Amino acid sequence: PLKWQNEKALYEKLKDNTDLIETGTEVEAFFEAKQNSPTGALSSIEEAKTQALIPEIAEANNLSQLLTIKEQLTAQLIAADTLVDSTATQQEMDSWQTVTSGISQSIATVNTQLTQLYQTIDAARLQQVEQVTAANTSTAVNVQIEDNLKLLNDIYLSTVALDVDTFTANQLTDLYYLAFQCPLSGGQAVYRARSLLALVIDTFYNDREICAAAGIAYKKEQEATSILKDTAMLFDKIRISTLPNPANAYLLLQSNIASDETFTLKVYDNMGRTIKEERVSLATKRFKLETQALPSGLYFLKLFNSAQAMYSTKFNVQH
C-alpha cells in the first residue's frame, strides 16, 4: 500500500510538472503506465471532483461583479436613510421615497440576476458531478487501496457533492468500514471517510490498535519508566478486547490494565445515534455490557474518560 501511494504521488508530481517526464525513458515509461492504470484514473477523478465545485471563470467573474453591485446598492440604501428625519417636509419625503424606491428596485433586479446565475452554476456543477460519478463507477480497480478510494468517491459524489448532508444506513456502514482501517494500508480514503463521518458523529480512532489488528506495527516508543500515573499514560497503554462478537445477551469488555477511574461508555447505532450510555469501571479489568435488548445489527462502542474518547470499536448483535 505504501508503494502504491508513493507511485500515485510520483505520477501526480509528473502530471503537474511535465518537463520532468523527459528526464529519462524509465520516467516516461512509468508515467505512461500509470496514466493507463487505475492510479491514473483515480487521480483524474480526484482532480475532476475539485473542478466540479469551481464555477467557470466567466461565471465567477459575473458573480463577483453582481455581488459588488449589490453591496454598493445596499450601502446607498442605508445612506439614503440619513436624508430625512422627523422634521422633513412632504417634498423631502417624496424625494426620499423616489430615491429609495429606485435603489430597492435595482437591488431586486440584481437579486434576480444572482438567482439565475446561481442556478446556472449549480446546473453545471451537477452535470460535472454526474460525469465524474460515471467515470468513478466505470473505473476497474485491482487492489484494496484502490477499492477504498472508489467507494469513498461514490459516497462523496452522491452526498456532499450534491449538497446532501445526511447518509443512508448503507453509506454509514461503508464509511465506518473505511474509517476503521489502518491508514498505512487503507490509504487516503481512510482519513477522508473519517472527515465525512465527522459531519454526523464524533468518533475516536486508535490507529495504533487498529493497525496492530491488521498486522502492521508502529515503531515502538521508549517505555515509560514509572507506573501509570495519569489519564494520558493510561490512554496510551490501555488495550481492550470485546467478546463475543457477534454478541447475543451480553458483550464482555476485557482490559489489559486495571483502573480505578470511572469511564463513560456509549453505544451508537449505524445511523450515529446514541442508544445506550453507562458509567463503567475497569477496576477488575472487565465490564459486562447487556445487549439482550438491542435489536440485531451493527453497533459502535466508545469509551470516554473525563476529557476525551479513549477507545472505540464496533460489534454485531445477533439474536
Side-chain angles (χ1 to χ4, degrees):
L2 292 177
K3 179 175 181 290
W4 188 94
Q5 293 182 75
N6 287 336
E7 288 181 347
K8 179 173 179 288
L10 176 57
Y11 167 75
E12 291 175 344
K13 182 75 172 179
L14 294 172
K15 187 168 66 171
D16 293 337
N17 301 269
T18 54
D19 291 344
L20 296 176
I21 300 175
E22 301 174 1
T23 56
T25 56
E26 290 183 353
V27 178
E28 291 182 16
F30 168 84
F31 181 78
E32 184 176 347
K34 291 303 173 186
Q35 195 172 30
N36 298 313
S37 73
T39 302
L42 290 169
S43 177
S44 297
I45 288 170
E46 287 185 31
E47 184 177 350
K49 280 165 53 181
T50 302
Q51 291 300 319
L53 303 180
I54 302 175
E56 296 291 336
I57 294 178
E59 294 172 342
N61 289 338
N62 289 339
L63 182 60
S64 177
Q65 291 173 2
L66 287 173
L67 290 174
T68 299
I69 293 172
K70 181 178 179 180
E71 183 178 354
Q72 293 171 345
L73 289 171
T74 302
Q76 292 175 18
L77 189 61
I78 294 173
D81 286 336
T82 64
L83 297 178
V84 295
D85 55 26
S86 58
T87 62
T89 64
Q90 184 61 46
Q91 184 178 0
E92 290 173 333
M93 288 295 295
D94 292 343
S95 177
W96 173 82
Q97 183 67 39
T98 300
V99 170
T100 56
S101 177
I103 297 174
S104 297
Q105 183 60 47
S106 296
I107 292 177
T109 300
V110 172
N111 282 335
T112 300
Q113 294 173 335
L114 281 171
T115 299
Q116 294 173 344
L117 183 55
Y118 282 133
Q119 291 173 345
T120 300
I121 292 174
D122 197 50
R125 175 176 61 86
L126 294 178
Q127 184 177 12
Q128 288 179 290
V129 168
E130 184 177 346
Q131 294 171 353
V132 178
T133 301
N136 186 68
T137 301
S138 63
T139 298
V141 296
N142 301 319
V143 294
Q144 182 66 39
I145 195 169
E146 296 171 349
D147 187 66
N148 286 350
L149 276 174
K150 183 176 179 179
L151 178 58
L152 190 281
N153 286 340
D154 179 65
I155 297 172
Y156 172 83
L157 290 167
S158 59
T159 55
V160 177
L162 299 179
D163 292 332
V164 176
D165 58 1
T166 57
F167 301 105
T168 66
N170 287 338
Q171 288 171 338
L172 278 174
T173 299
D174 288 338
L175 285 174
Y176 276 110
Y177 161 74
L178 293 172
F180 279 94
Q181 289 185 31
C182 174
L184 298 178
S185 60
Q188 294 177 335
V190 175
Y191 293 116
R192 293 174 182 175
R194 293 175 181 181
S195 295
L196 292 182
L197 274 178
L199 297 174
V200 293
I201 185 172
D202 180 21
T203 304
F204 169 75
Y205 307 95
N206 188 334
D207 283 336
R208 183 181 297 276
E209 182 176 294
I210 293 172
C211 291
I216 301 174
Y218 278 73
K219 291 183 178 179
K220 291 184 178 180
E221 299 178 355
Q222 184 177 359
E223 294 293 335
T225 56
S226 60
I227 62 172
L228 300 178
K229 294 181 179 180
D230 54 31
T231 302
M233 296 176 69
L234 178 63
F235 168 75
D236 185 60
K237 296 296 181 181
I238 195 169
R239 298 290 181 271
I240 298 177
S241 59
T242 51
L243 293 170
N245 195 2
N248 184 354
Y250 67 89
L251 183 72
L252 183 65
L253 279 71
Q254 179 75 44
S255 171
N256 64 324
I257 295 174
S259 172
D260 292 330
E261 184 176 357
T262 301
F263 303 93
T264 298
L265 181 149
K266 292 185 179 182
V267 176
Y268 306 88
D269 63 13
N270 61 5
M271 296 297 290
R273 297 171 296 199
T274 303
I275 60 171
K276 196 176 183 69
E277 180 173 341
E278 295 186 25
R279 297 289 287 172
V280 305
S281 170
L282 297 177
T284 61
K285 295 188 178 182
R286 62 175 56 193
F287 176 80
K288 193 173 183 180
L289 175 67
E290 299 295 333
T291 59
Q292 184 66 50
L294 298 179
S296 297
L298 177 66
Y299 295 90
F300 302 89
L301 179 150
K302 292 176 68 174
L303 199 63
F304 298 81
N305 60 18
S306 57
Q308 60 181 323
M310 58 178 299
Y311 176 75
S312 181
T313 190
K314 56 183 177 180
F315 65 94
N316 284 285
V317 172
Q318 183 176 330
H319 297 303

